[in-house]
Amino acid sequence: MKSSLLISLFLCMSWSVFAVPSLTVVTELSPPNQTLINNQVTGVSTELVKAIFDKADLQADIELYPWARAFNMAQKKPNTFIYSIAKTPERLNQFEWIGEVATYHMGFVKLTSRKDIKISSNEQAKRYKIAVQRDDSCCKAIDRA
């Protein structure tokens, strides 16, 4: 009786040693890199991330959130991966970086009817009301200008 209890206890303990931690993958809606089609997250960057997880033989359920929520989860929740995220000096030591999944260029969008607006620098953009996503890296870039 005593030996069977020890074996059962050992089997339960050893199983938890080999259990893969629960992984969370978060991103934002940002076509064409991250899109939602038929309730499935897909897109150019998403397919690359899925291929990386497949190669590592890891299960990755990708969840789509507003940028600020995804960023907050990646900072605070253990075993959370985030993509696509700009690699900025402020963020460099906050995360373990795996690799590049896309290239982004910051820019401004205006109504086509507003022919009077011509922006070639962040400083010029400050003359107008501008909208950005909360906690996005472009906020700091505009503030630095």
Side-chain angles (χ1 to χ4, degrees):
M1 177 72 153
K2 189 175 183 179
S3 62
S4 64
L5 179 62
L6 289 174
I7 292 171
S8 298
L9 182 60
F10 174 73
L11 288 174
C12 290
M13 288 174 49
S14 64
W15 179 255
S16 65
V17 170
F18 296 110
V20 175
S22 176
L23 303 176
T24 303
V25 183
V26 296
T27 191
E28 67 173 331
L29 182 64
S30 183
N33 295 301
Q34 296 94 241
T35 61
L36 190 63
I37 298 175
N38 297 325
N39 289 324
Q40 293 294 313
V41 183
T42 188
V44 178
S45 296
T46 301
E47 295 311 310
L48 177 59
V49 169
K50 287 178 179 178
I52 291 168
F53 273 82
D54 285 346
K55 187 151 179 93
D57 200 27
L58 294 171
Q59 177 64 33
D61 293 323
I62 300 172
E63 301 169 10
L64 201 63
Y65 294 102
W67 175 250
R69 188 178 314 160
F71 185 67
N72 187 43
M73 289 174 71
Q75 288 178 306
K76 295 182 177 169
K77 186 179 176 190
N79 301 316
T80 300
F81 293 77
I82 186 170
Y83 76 98
S84 299
I85 180 171
K87 191 174 185 179
T88 64
E90 297 86 11
R91 295 175 178 169
L92 194 59
N93 294 321
Q94 292 179 352
F95 300 99
E96 297 294 326
W97 298 89
I98 296 173
E100 188 175 296
V101 295
T103 301
Y104 290 95
H105 300 284
M106 189 176 79
F108 297 96
V109 179
K110 66 175 180 71
L111 293 172
T112 54
S113 62
R114 292 293 308 267
K115 307 285 186 209
D116 59 309
I117 299 176
K118 293 182 172 56
I119 299 173
S120 59
S121 71
N122 290 350
E123 193 58 46
Q124 288 177 337
K126 288 183 176 183
R127 294 185 221 154
Y128 303 95
K129 288 183 181 180
I130 54 176
V132 295
Q133 288 188 46
R134 187 167 36 117
D135 293 337
D136 193 86
S137 61
C138 69
C139 297
K140 288 186 176 36
I142 291 170
D143 286 342
R144 284 190 298 259

